Amino acid sequence: MSGNSVGEICRITTFGESHGEALGVIIDGCPSLLEIDTDFILHELRRRKPGQSSITTERNEDETFEILSGVFEGKTTGAPIAIIVKNTNQKPEDYDELKDIFRPSHADYTYEKKFGIRDHRGSGRASARETVARVLAGAIAKLFLRQHDISVQAYVSQIATIKVEQHYSELDLSLTEQNIVRCPEQSIAKKMITLIEEIKLQGDSIGGAITCVIKGVPVGLGEPVFDKLHADLGKAILSINACKGFEIGSGFEGILMKGSEHNDSFTVHSSQSTESPDLITTSNHSGGIQGGISNGMDIYFRCAFKPVSTIKLEQETVNKNLQNVQMKASGRHDSCVLPRAVPIVEAMAALVLTDHFLRNKIYSHD
Amino acid sequence: MSGNSVGEICRITTFGESHGEALGVIIDGCPSLLEIDTDFILHELRRRKPGQSSITTERNEDETFEILSGVFEGKTTGAPIAIIVKNTNQKPEDYDELKDIFRPSHADYTYEKKFGIRDHRGSGRASARETVARVLAGAIAKLFLRQHDISVQAYVSQIATIKVEQHYSELDLSLTEQNIVRCPEQSIAKKMITLIEEIKLQGDSIGGAITCVIKGVPVGLGEPVFDKLHADLGKAILSINACKGFEIGSGFEGILMKGSEHNDSFTVHSSQSTESPDLITTSNHSGGIQGGISNGMDIYFRCAFKPVSTIKLEQETVNKNLQNVQMKASGRHDSCVLPRAVPIVEAMAALVLTDHFLRNKIYSHD
Amino acid sequence: MSGNSVGEICRITTFGESHGEALGVIIDGCPSLLEIDTDFILHELRRRKPGQSSITTERNEDETFEILSGVFEGKTTGAPIAIIVKNTNQKPEDYDELKDIFRPSHADYTYEKKFGIRDHRGSGRASARETVARVLAGAIAKLFLRQHDISVQAYVSQIATIKVEQHYSELDLSLTEQNIVRCPEQSIAKKMITLIEEIKLQGDSIGGAITCVIKGVPVGLGEPVFDKLHADLGKAILSINACKGFEIGSGFEGILMKGSEHNDSFTVHSSQSTESPDLITTSNHSGGIQGGISNGMDIYFRCAFKPVSTIKLEQETVNKNLQNVQMKASGRHDSCVLPRAVPIVEAMAALVLTDHFLRNKIYSHD
Amino acid sequence: MSGNSVGEICRITTFGESHGEALGVIIDGCPSLLEIDTDFILHELRRRKPGQSSITTERNEDETFEILSGVFEGKTTGAPIAIIVKNTNQKPEDYDELKDIFRPSHADYTYEKKFGIRDHRGSGRASARETVARVLAGAIAKLFLRQHDISVQAYVSQIATIKVEQHYSELDLSLTEQNIVRCPEQSIAKKMITLIEEIKLQGDSIGGAITCVIKGVPVGLGEPVFDKLHADLGKAILSINACKGFEIGSGFEGILMKGSEHNDSFTVHSSQSTESPDLITTSNHSGGIQGGISNGMDIYFRCAFKPVSTIKLEQETVNKNLQNVQMKASGRHDSCVLPRAVPIVEAMAALVLTDHFLRNKIYSHD
């Protein structure tokens, strides 16, 4: 009800403020007997970590985690899994100057009005640091999906005007992690990095797009009507800080096609495997989802991130006393969140897939 | 859990198949003492009605409704409101030929695989006719919002390549209903109508975009983290048949801006009204939502609709016996759903706003 | 949120007022391919029907139903099942005299204060007539459970001081429906009937207890901590009009035993069937549930019903204008609801079992 | 869905195993600006603490807690409140002997079958130690209710055959905490203590009943139909380990009354306070709830606890290999949980009241 939980069956609840004692997540409804690979969780956490490269913030957040419950002798027990990350090296006094200011395009004003109180230290609950909890839960979800041969992989497909022109299927996504901007097309990646560095020098910020591809999804995930698989993916992705748009399959481009071009024709699957769907489609403008339900083809979507609000340039704004003031961010911040948003997008997608995988088990007639 | 409900406090559940006995909706959690204007409900229903103009399907669905419960002496009682629309003139035999065919880009295949059974008559539950129930519930939501001076208005902003170039704030939205395509820019509307008529003659279909504007929203609606107001709007809109994309405020365009351009500066509101928010922003790239919570500015979003899957051209596909077959839709169908989707988009937006309005009451300190 | 729904996976929502257009229920989340035996549903409805015997109210409510959705060619499709019962022969004017009166121990006062409006006709939404919807949904649940060889059977075990002294296991429950009071012990049944007839002549009312036995439950239903199987059963039963108490297994009697007497010892099941639980307990004070989860033994519980509030004797009360008034019920009412509550108790128990059966499928490792 | 959460608006999720790293709770949906009195929370925790008196277990669990989130400068912020209690002095090896045994009337067997894995150390998640988390959350709920002048007070009203014969209204409940058994009637308390000491010497265990009284509840809490206030109280209380029965108001005793005796007559409230309900009832067999909604009178209920399953006497049971074995508990355990269950019952009742208080705000027309 308060928006800190997502998922129906495998339901996560995140908690914690940027500069509070700890951030964490409860994963409730994870099936028992899943082996927990803590190295993998740490790996995921480090993909989101600030200070990991020259184009991200230099802040060096503590990135170790503790599993408090739900895992016994290396396996999940079916009980809620609580994972926390302690906040260390908090310097809340760094944020004292922001105590009374409503920063442009931040959540300061809306939180203050909604709750009548606001933990202003590093944006408190509204900080992108909250996504640590999402990545932890997403790592568990990925371990679950891996068991079922489902993979989730995202990459940066656009930074400002610099765009990967190819369709995801023409790219080698295994190259994504080979550069610090997380773009599988190396020449484009270089241009993106150069641009981000320029913007950083200017003290400004810049946005972009991430494309995410989910492979190995069985037919049948997603529910008709309101909980269509892409609707739940859309909500999960739009809930990430700074995300402003979501499109599935052909998305906004699909507007420009005729039905006769856009329709995905069915054909019999040549594979003899009983695991495979019996049909495939010859094109995939649907993005792997028809009538809200997965059809066994790749699911892919794209999402837009605005330029982050925190910039080092001077800006006009208003304080709590309704006085006009000028401000300039002084801390260490990302000029472009896209590279670090890649694991967050994957985490949210993995959580939605896990939840719908389990939802679909209920009605299975096997 | 089965995806037939949406909303947390004011929660609707829709039921019914395209060619079953009736379609309907339960609206549970609507506050008591709301006056029910049945003429307004009928008006909304007629805006969605097939056969309302030369560019929509000629099918003439029965569009009367019955309120079965929850209203007493013209006012809501706080009990669940059940509204049904009976299906008349059903000719299920019209659909017999589709019984065993998996139509391209329809939900036939995914439903069949998920449920092991499928009401094939007019797409059954997957039919866009299900949105009748949404419009009924949305009408109640609009009546509720009207009490609080909140308005929801959508219009067709793009059909294929024909696009309204102006920002919504430069348009006179009161002109929207003056043409059959529901575009407030009359010269663009004419071009859209001509294009749709051409496509209809070809037996093909075409997509487009709808823009929706919500005015009068108080500060504070929306929840941090997962239930951000635009995330819930996104899910609700993406759940509409044929919708493939959603963007809030600057959306995908925002990618191209720098932070210094995109940030919305606060300034003190000149109005002396105690009802008004004390601050406004000088630009509104945020789309009226910051940190997931409304800031009192207009909320606006845009959404993409693919060309509808049902076309009169011959297509290749596969039947239940995994045989390749050819098919051609014979019934009466829309070549472009956009005009009729306008009231559906409004209905879904109104339902999300109503729900978050009520959610926000819980924590109000008044 | 408004209390008109129950169940997590197989979730029902009831609607309708005693003297409104219709009562009904949406059953959402019922698995597809369940065969719907409409004769059985009617049979259950008639067990709840008023006017079925000399000891129930003489009102003769219309008891036919219409299935509006979710069933195709006799089977469920996985879509929401809507069932309604139209209200006929409504004589709302019969209730005009109650418009302004707060009847003792009825919901008149609390509804009026909570909602600011009240459909006073025959108690509106607070009427026990709402349970028609529960029985309809419960009939579907029983059809589902029957597929899995789970049976739910209740009987009247006490009316005022007249009590069946034997444990349920010593009774032949198949005799329950052989008398109008629904007590399997015929000599006790006779005494109960005599007592109810006396009370009826006095214009007074009387309460009692119902015992319910659920057989064939597999091991594993129920969730740890808050959604223990008996906690969910308790809530469902306590939500029935006039129910004031619930006890599982040994219940309040268990207070009087020592742990050494109360503990149920495990022993290996002699049956060779692979379907059977491998262990049984030599006693069953637990009532088939341990740690909130079914252990494969019979589940049994007992619940208390107060004497109904509507009596024909003169009573003092207060009206809307806070004036003391005297009143006397004039309509046709049950002096004892227990016989007609038997199918309602069964329905609620069947719904809880169905829901937990489906919940348990999620985590099954089969 | 997995049963680790309760509440709709103010929703708690507990986590942690008896001998894991930590136990804890997330309280999500607590209104902002509530002052957090940490001394009070500690006080409540100590009322539940083992080893607090000669009649409870001698185990001396660590009872300090850490608030990880949701509180800023002593006040709640509206963000989720995470509170944990670290487990110290864990000696899991003490439990090695229980690894393969299914103890009588414990959750060992049902957990093993449901999840395929079981944290056997001190019963893991099924341990009554989980209630630490409930008491922490309940303390926050009590702080909230206190703001609204609502109090929740429970006491031991029966141990085996020793019973407080007076109605709660004839007792001075402020004396409850003056003896170690938490019974306000001092002479009865003495007898209870003597009996528990005897049973402890025998190595056996004993059950009892707790009565709980809630004062100051405004009219209007609770929802019609399924979420009746007493139904939600019943579920919450029945979810406490070892609880086997629940009754509201007259409960099972109400069976013995006629309607003319049981009905609670309304009368005008003499108080002139605008805060008070305008009506009161001259008797209160309803237990403060009519039609599922509070009527402003005291709410009171009674609940039954079975004798705890852990006894020091030798018992027959079965192990994982389906061999008959004999066992005898060796650890330190309560012979009677009732005194320590008093704060747990209060906590659960306070959580239900808080949740319904907030639910009722949604529909308020103030």
Side-chain angles (χ1 to χ4, degrees):
Chain A
M1 188 57 57
S2 302
N4 299 293
S5 301
V6 70
E8 295 286 317
I9 303 263
C10 182
R11 183 167 180 84
I12 71 162
T13 302
T14 73
F15 58 89
E17 287 81 38
S18 177
H19 287 65
E21 287 299 311
L23 286 109
V25 64
I26 307 298
I27 303 142
D28 193 21
C30 180
S32 62
L33 297 175
L34 178 67
E35 285 192 43
I36 294 304
D37 177 343
T38 52
D39 288 343
F40 177 72
I41 300 174
L42 195 59
H43 166 78
E44 289 294 285
L45 206 53
R46 285 185 178 150
R47 290 177 70 211
R48 197 215 73 96
K49 192 179 179 298
Q52 63 185 269
S53 82
S54 61
I55 55 168
T56 60
T57 166
E58 303 101 42
R59 261 178 305 128
N60 214 331
E61 291 172 10
D62 178 19
E63 299 299 20
T64 59
F65 64 91
E66 291 172 65
I67 299 179
L68 300 183
S69 67
V71 177
F72 182 58
E73 297 179 347
K75 287 181 186 154
T76 58
T77 61
I81 303 165
I83 314 182
I84 61 169
V85 171
K86 291 261 175 73
N87 287 322
T88 52
N89 289 322
Q90 303 138 276
K91 298 185 194 160
E93 62 281 8
D94 287 4
Y95 294 91
D96 271 1
E97 60 190 74
L98 299 178
K99 213 165 74 104
D100 297 325
I101 279 184
F102 297 134
R103 290 167 296 164
S105 290
H106 271 90
D108 302 339
Y109 174 66
T110 52
Y111 269 60
E112 183 79 35
K113 294 299 265 188
K114 186 178 183 76
F115 297 110
I117 184 174
R118 173 168 64 93
D119 182 345
H120 65 272
R121 299 166 303 167
S123 297
R125 182 78 183 137
S127 168
R129 183 146 172 69
E130 181 270 338
T131 58
V132 162
R134 303 183 183 214
V135 169
L136 289 168
I140 304 276
K142 282 183 173 182
L143 290 171
F144 175 79
L145 294 174
R146 188 191 282 175
Q147 277 193 328
H148 298 281
D149 297 318
I150 301 170
S151 69
V152 178
Q153 190 166 10
Y155 62 92
V156 174
S157 51
Q158 185 173 359
I159 297 288
T161 54
I162 305 169
K163 197 169 171 176
V164 180
E165 296 295 343
Q166 299 99 310
H167 192 249
Y168 81 85
S169 57
E170 301 164 55
L171 300 170
D172 179 354
L173 300 189
S174 72
L175 304 177
T176 303
E177 300 286 322
Q178 298 204 344
N179 58 63
I180 57 177
V181 80
R182 294 203 166 94
C183 171
E185 236 295 286
Q186 306 301 322
S187 62
I188 297 290
K190 244 185 236 171
K191 289 185 199 163
M192 288 173 170
I193 294 166
T194 305
L195 177 61
I196 295 171
E197 283 167 345
E198 271 172 43
I199 292 290
K200 190 178 169 183
L201 278 175
Q202 293 169 20
D204 214 331
S205 69
I206 201 134
I210 286 174
T211 297
C212 183
V213 185
I214 308 166
K215 287 171 180 286
V217 181
V219 186
L221 308 200
E223 299 296 329
V225 191
F226 299 114
D227 294 355
K228 291 188 164 87
L229 187 54
H230 58 281
D232 274 346
L233 281 168
K235 173 172 172 171
I237 298 302
L238 286 161
S239 79
I240 300 172
N241 306 44
C243 183
K244 306 291 285 181
F246 173 89
E247 55 182 8
I248 182 79
S250 61
F252 282 91
E253 295 286 318
I255 293 176
L256 306 176
M257 300 167 83
K258 292 186 189 175
S260 54
E261 297 160 339
H262 193 278
N263 277 356
D264 298 319
S265 292
F266 284 108
T267 187
V268 177
H269 197 310
S270 54
S271 155
Q272 301 303 316
S273 155
T274 56
E275 292 289 299
S276 308
D278 37 17
L279 297 186
I280 57 169
T281 60
T282 53
S283 58
N284 185 17
H285 299 115
S286 299
I289 300 173
Q290 289 173 331
I293 298 169
S294 63
N295 67 358
M297 303 297 291
D298 289 351
I299 292 173
Y300 65 97
F301 64 81
R302 191 169 155 264
C303 50
F305 286 83
K306 68 167 187 177
V308 275
S309 308
T310 305
I311 56 176
K312 295 195 182 178
L313 301 172
E314 195 153 272
Q315 297 179 88
E316 304 275 340
T317 193
V318 173
N319 68 14
K320 271 191 178 181
N321 306 317
L322 304 189
Q323 294 163 320
N324 294 319
V325 290
Q326 292 197 314
M327 64 152 297
K328 204 161 139 169
S330 56
R332 295 153 299 172
H333 299 283
D334 291 88
S335 293
C336 179
V337 294
L338 275 286
R340 289 175 57 208
V342 166
I344 303 167
V345 167
E346 289 177 6
M348 292 312 298
L351 285 162
V352 171
L353 265 287
T354 296
D355 192 41
H356 275 285
F357 189 97
L358 292 168
R359 286 171 77 163
N360 194 45
K361 276 191 74 175
I362 301 167
Y363 302 110
S364 123
H365 287 276
D366 302 340
Chain B
M1 186 61 53
S2 301
N4 299 295
S5 302
V6 71
E8 296 286 317
I9 303 261
C10 182
R11 185 168 179 82
I12 70 162
T13 302
T14 74
F15 59 89
E17 287 80 40
S18 178
H19 287 65
E21 287 300 310
L23 285 109
V25 65
I26 307 299
I27 303 143
D28 193 19
C30 180
S32 61
L33 298 175
L34 178 67
E35 285 192 43
I36 294 304
D37 176 345
T38 52
D39 288 342
F40 177 73
I41 300 174
L42 195 60
H43 166 78
E44 289 294 286
L45 207 53
R46 286 186 178 150
R47 290 176 68 211
R48 197 215 74 95
K49 193 177 178 300
Q52 63 185 270
S53 80
S54 62
I55 55 169
T56 60
T57 166
E58 303 101 42
R59 261 177 304 129
N60 214 332
E61 290 172 13
D62 176 18
E63 299 300 18
T64 59
F65 64 92
E66 292 171 65
I67 299 179
L68 300 183
S69 66
V71 177
F72 181 59
E73 298 179 346
K75 289 183 184 154
T76 58
T77 61
I81 303 165
I83 315 182
I84 61 169
V85 170
K86 291 261 175 72
N87 287 321
T88 53
N89 290 321
Q90 301 140 274
K91 299 186 192 158
E93 62 280 9
D94 286 3
Y95 294 92
D96 271 2
E97 60 192 71
L98 299 178
K99 214 165 73 107
D100 298 323
I101 279 185
F102 298 133
R103 289 168 297 164
S105 291
H106 272 89
D108 301 340
Y109 174 66
T110 53
Y111 268 60
E112 183 78 34
K113 294 300 266 189
K114 185 177 184 78
F115 297 110
I117 184 174
R118 175 167 63 92
D119 182 345
H120 66 273
R121 300 167 304 169
S123 297
R125 182 81 182 134
S127 167
R129 183 145 172 71
E130 179 271 336
T131 58
V132 162
R134 302 182 185 216
V135 169
L136 290 169
I140 304 276
K142 281 182 173 183
L143 290 172
F144 175 80
L145 294 175
R146 188 190 283 177
Q147 278 195 326
H148 299 280
D149 297 319
I150 301 170
S151 69
V152 178
Q153 190 168 8
Y155 62 92
V156 174
S157 51
Q158 185 173 357
I159 297 290
T161 54
I162 305 169
K163 198 172 171 174
V164 180
E165 296 295 342
Q166 299 98 310
H167 191 249
Y168 80 86
S169 56
E170 301 165 55
L171 300 170
D172 179 354
L173 300 188
S174 71
L175 306 176
T176 303
E177 299 287 321
Q178 300 204 341
N179 58 64
I180 57 177
V181 80
R182 295 204 165 94
C183 170
E185 237 293 287
Q186 307 300 323
S187 61
I188 298 289
K190 245 184 235 171
K191 291 187 198 162
M192 288 173 169
I193 294 166
T194 307
L195 177 61
I196 295 170
E197 281 166 347
E198 272 173 42
I199 292 290
K200 192 177 167 182
L201 278 174
Q202 293 168 21
D204 214 332
S205 67
I206 201 134
I210 286 174
T211 297
C212 184
V213 185
I214 308 164
K215 288 171 179 288
V217 181
V219 187
L221 307 200
E223 300 295 328
V225 189
F226 298 114
D227 293 355
K228 291 186 164 89
L229 187 54
H230 59 280
D232 274 345
L233 282 167
K235 173 171 171 170
I237 299 302
L238 287 160
S239 79
I240 300 172
N241 306 42
C243 183
K244 306 291 284 183
F246 173 89
E247 55 182 7
I248 182 80
S250 60
F252 281 92
E253 294 288 316
I255 292 176
L256 306 175
M257 299 167 85
K258 290 185 190 175
S260 55
E261 297 160 339
H262 193 278
N263 277 358
D264 297 321
S265 291
F266 284 109
T267 187
V268 177
H269 199 309
S270 53
S271 154
Q272 301 302 318
S273 152
T274 55
E275 291 288 299
S276 309
D278 37 19
L279 297 187
I280 57 168
T281 60
T282 52
S283 58
N284 185 16
H285 299 115
S286 299
I289 299 173
Q290 290 174 329
I293 298 168
S294 63
N295 67 359
M297 303 296 293
D298 289 354
I299 293 173
Y300 64 98
F301 63 82
R302 192 168 154 263
C303 51
F305 285 83
K306 68 166 189 179
V308 275
S309 308
T310 305
I311 56 177
K312 295 196 180 175
L313 302 172
E314 194 153 271
Q315 298 179 87
E316 305 274 338
T317 194
V318 174
N319 67 14
K320 270 192 179 181
N321 306 319
L322 304 188
Q323 293 163 321
N324 294 320
V325 291
Q326 290 195 315
M327 64 154 293
K328 206 162 140 168
S330 56
R332 296 153 298 171
H333 300 282
D334 292 87
S335 294
C336 178
V337 294
L338 276 285
R340 288 177 57 210
V342 166
I344 303 167
V345 166
E346 289 177 4
M348 293 311 297
L351 285 162
V352 171
L353 265 286
T354 296
D355 193 41
H356 274 286
F357 189 96
L358 292 169
R359 286 171 77 163
N360 194 45
K361 275 192 72 176
I362 302 167
Y363 302 110
S364 122
H365 287 277
D366 301 340
Chain C
M1 187 58 57
S2 302
N4 299 294
S5 302
V6 71
E8 296 285 317
I9 304 262
C10 182
R11 182 167 180 84
I12 71 162
T13 302
T14 73
F15 58 90
E17 287 80 38
S18 177
H19 287 64
E21 286 301 311
L23 285 110
V25 65
I26 308 298
I27 303 143
D28 193 19
C30 180
S32 61
L33 298 174
L34 178 67
E35 286 191 43
I36 294 304
D37 177 343
T38 51
D39 289 342
F40 178 72
I41 300 174
L42 195 59
H43 166 79
E44 289 294 284
L45 207 52
R46 286 183 177 152
R47 290 177 69 211
R48 197 215 73 95
K49 192 178 178 300
Q52 64 185 268
S53 80
S54 62
I55 55 168
T56 60
T57 164
E58 303 99 46
R59 263 178 302 131
N60 215 332
E61 292 172 10
D62 177 19
E63 299 299 21
T64 60
F65 64 92
E66 292 171 65
I67 298 179
L68 300 182
S69 67
V71 177
F72 183 58
E73 298 179 347
K75 286 180 187 158
T76 59
T77 62
I81 303 164
I83 315 182
I84 60 168
V85 170
K86 292 261 176 71
N87 287 321
T88 52
N89 288 322
Q90 301 141 273
K91 299 187 194 158
E93 64 280 9
D94 287 1
Y95 293 92
D96 272 2
E97 60 191 73
L98 299 179
K99 215 164 74 102
D100 297 324
I101 279 186
F102 298 135
R103 289 168 296 164
S105 291
H106 272 90
D108 302 339
Y109 174 66
T110 53
Y111 269 60
E112 183 78 35
K113 294 299 265 186
K114 185 177 184 78
F115 297 111
I117 185 174
R118 174 167 64 93
D119 182 344
H120 66 272
R121 300 167 302 170
S123 298
R125 181 78 181 138
S127 167
R129 182 143 173 72
E130 180 271 337
T131 57
V132 162
R134 303 182 183 214
V135 169
L136 290 168
I140 305 276
K142 282 183 174 181
L143 290 172
F144 175 80
L145 294 175
R146 188 191 280 177
Q147 278 193 326
H148 299 281
D149 298 318
I150 301 170
S151 69
V152 178
Q153 191 168 8
Y155 63 92
V156 174
S157 50
Q158 185 173 359
I159 296 289
T161 53
I162 305 169
K163 198 171 173 176
V164 179
E165 296 295 343
Q166 299 97 311
H167 191 250
Y168 80 85
S169 56
E170 301 164 54
L171 300 170
D172 179 354
L173 300 189
S174 72
L175 305 177
T176 302
E177 301 287 321
Q178 300 204 342
N179 58 64
I180 57 177
V181 79
R182 293 202 167 96
C183 170
E185 237 292 288
Q186 307 301 324
S187 62
I188 298 290
K190 241 184 241 176
K191 289 184 199 166
M192 289 173 168
I193 294 166
T194 307
L195 177 60
I196 295 170
E197 283 167 345
E198 270 173 43
I199 293 290
K200 192 177 167 184
L201 279 175
Q202 293 169 20
D204 214 331
S205 68
I206 201 135
I210 287 174
T211 297
C212 183
V213 184
I214 309 165
K215 288 172 179 287
V217 181
V219 186
L221 308 200
E223 300 294 330
V225 189
F226 298 114
D227 294 355
K228 292 187 164 88
L229 187 53
H230 59 282
D232 274 347
L233 282 168
K235 174 172 171 171
I237 298 302
L238 286 161
S239 78
I240 300 172
N241 305 43
C243 183
K244 307 289 285 182
F246 173 88
E247 55 182 7
I248 183 77
S250 61
F252 281 91
E253 295 287 317
I255 293 176
L256 306 176
M257 300 167 84
K258 292 185 189 176
S260 55
E261 296 159 340
H262 193 278
N263 279 356
D264 297 320
S265 293
F266 285 109
T267 187
V268 178
H269 198 310
S270 53
S271 154
Q272 301 302 320
S273 153
T274 56
E275 291 289 300
S276 308
D278 36 19
L279 297 188
I280 56 167
T281 59
T282 51
S283 57
N284 185 18
H285 299 114
S286 299
I289 299 173
Q290 290 174 329
I293 299 167
S294 63
N295 67 0
M297 302 298 291
D298 289 353
I299 292 174
Y300 65 96
F301 63 81
R302 190 167 155 263
C303 50
F305 286 83
K306 68 166 187 178
V308 275
S309 307
T310 305
I311 55 175
K312 296 195 181 176
L313 302 173
E314 194 154 270
Q315 298 179 86
E316 305 274 340
T317 193
V318 173
N319 69 12
K320 269 192 179 182
N321 305 319
L322 304 189
Q323 294 163 318
N324 294 319
V325 290
Q326 290 196 313
M327 66 154 292
K328 205 160 140 171
S330 56
R332 295 154 299 172
H333 300 282
D334 290 89
S335 295
C336 178
V337 294
L338 276 285
R340 289 177 56 210
V342 165
I344 304 167
V345 165
E346 288 177 7
M348 293 310 299
L351 285 162
V352 171
L353 266 286
T354 295
D355 192 42
H356 274 285
F357 190 96
L358 292 168
R359 286 171 79 163
N360 194 46
K361 275 191 74 175
I362 302 167
Y363 302 110
S364 121
H365 288 275
D366 301 339
Chain D
M1 188 58 55
S2 302
N4 299 293
S5 302
V6 72
E8 295 287 316
I9 303 261
C10 181
R11 183 168 178 83
I12 72 162
T13 303
T14 73
F15 58 90
E17 287 81 38
S18 176
H19 287 66
E21 287 300 310
L23 285 111
V25 65
I26 308 298
I27 302 143
D28 194 19
C30 181
S32 61
L33 297 175
L34 178 67
E35 285 192 44
I36 294 304
D37 177 344
T38 51
D39 288 342
F40 177 71
I41 301 174
L42 195 59
H43 167 79
E44 289 293 285
L45 207 52
R46 285 186 178 149
R47 290 177 70 211
R48 198 215 72 96
K49 192 179 178 299
Q52 64 185 269
S53 79
S54 61
I55 56 168
T56 61
T57 165
E58 302 101 44
R59 264 179 301 130
N60 214 331
E61 291 172 10
D62 177 18
E63 297 301 19
T64 59
F65 64 91
E66 291 171 67
I67 299 180
L68 299 183
S69 67
V71 177
F72 182 57
E73 298 180 343
K75 287 180 186 156
T76 58
T77 62
I81 303 165
I83 314 182
I84 61 168
V85 170
K86 291 261 175 72
N87 287 321
T88 53
N89 289 322
Q90 302 139 275
K91 298 186 193 159
E93 64 278 10
D94 286 3
Y95 294 92
D96 271 3
E97 62 191 72
L98 299 179
K99 214 164 75 104
D100 298 325
I101 280 185
F102 298 133
R103 289 168 295 164
S105 291
H106 272 90
D108 302 339
Y109 173 67
T110 53
Y111 269 60
E112 183 79 34
K113 295 300 265 187
K114 184 176 185 79
F115 297 110
I117 184 174
R118 174 168 63 93
D119 182 345
H120 66 273
R121 300 166 304 169
S123 298
R125 182 77 181 139
S127 167
R129 183 147 171 71
E130 180 271 337
T131 57
V132 161
R134 303 182 184 214
V135 169
L136 290 168
I140 305 277
K142 282 183 175 183
L143 289 172
F144 174 80
L145 294 175
R146 188 191 282 178
Q147 279 195 324
H148 299 280
D149 297 319
I150 302 169
S151 69
V152 178
Q153 190 166 7
Y155 62 92
V156 173
S157 51
Q158 184 173 359
I159 297 289
T161 53
I162 305 169
K163 199 171 171 175
V164 180
E165 295 296 341
Q166 297 98 313
H167 192 249
Y168 81 85
S169 56
E170 302 164 54
L171 300 170
D172 179 354
L173 300 188
S174 71
L175 304 177
T176 303
E177 299 287 319
Q178 298 204 343
N179 58 64
I180 57 178
V181 80
R182 294 200 167 97
C183 171
E185 237 291 288
Q186 306 302 322
S187 61
I188 298 289
K190 241 184 238 176
K191 289 185 199 164
M192 288 173 169
I193 294 166
T194 306
L195 176 62
I196 295 170
E197 282 167 347
E198 271 173 42
I199 292 290
K200 191 177 168 184
L201 278 176
Q202 292 169 20
D204 214 331
S205 67
I206 201 134
I210 286 174
T211 297
C212 183
V213 184
I214 309 166
K215 286 170 179 288
V217 181
V219 186
L221 307 199
E223 301 294 330
V225 189
F226 299 115
D227 295 354
K228 291 186 166 88
L229 187 53
H230 59 280
D232 274 347
L233 282 168
K235 174 172 170 171
I237 298 303
L238 286 160
S239 79
I240 300 172
N241 307 44
C243 182
K244 306 291 284 182
F246 172 89
E247 55 182 6
I248 182 79
S250 61
F252 282 91
E253 295 287 318
I255 294 176
L256 305 177
M257 300 166 83
K258 291 186 188 174
S260 54
E261 297 159 338
H262 194 278
N263 278 358
D264 298 320
S265 293
F266 285 109
T267 187
V268 178
H269 199 308
S270 53
S271 154
Q272 301 302 318
S273 153
T274 57
E275 292 288 300
S276 309
D278 38 19
L279 297 188
I280 57 170
T281 59
T282 52
S283 57
N284 185 17
H285 300 115
S286 299
I289 299 173
Q290 290 174 329
I293 299 169
S294 63
N295 67 358
M297 302 298 291
D298 289 352
I299 293 174
Y300 64 97
F301 63 81
R302 191 167 155 263
C303 50
F305 287 83
K306 67 167 189 178
V308 277
S309 307
T310 305
I311 56 175
K312 295 195 181 176
L313 301 173
E314 196 154 270
Q315 296 178 88
E316 305 275 338
T317 193
V318 174
N319 69 13
K320 271 191 177 181
N321 305 319
L322 304 189
Q323 294 162 319
N324 295 320
V325 290
Q326 291 197 312
M327 64 154 294
K328 205 160 139 170
S330 56
R332 295 155 299 170
H333 299 284
D334 291 87
S335 293
C336 178
V337 294
L338 276 285
R340 288 177 57 210
V342 166
I344 303 167
V345 166
E346 288 177 5
M348 294 311 299
L351 286 162
V352 171
L353 266 286
T354 295
D355 193 41
H356 275 284
F357 189 97
L358 293 167
R359 287 172 78 163
N360 194 46
K361 276 192 73 175
I362 302 168
Y363 302 110
S364 121
H365 288 276
D366 302 340

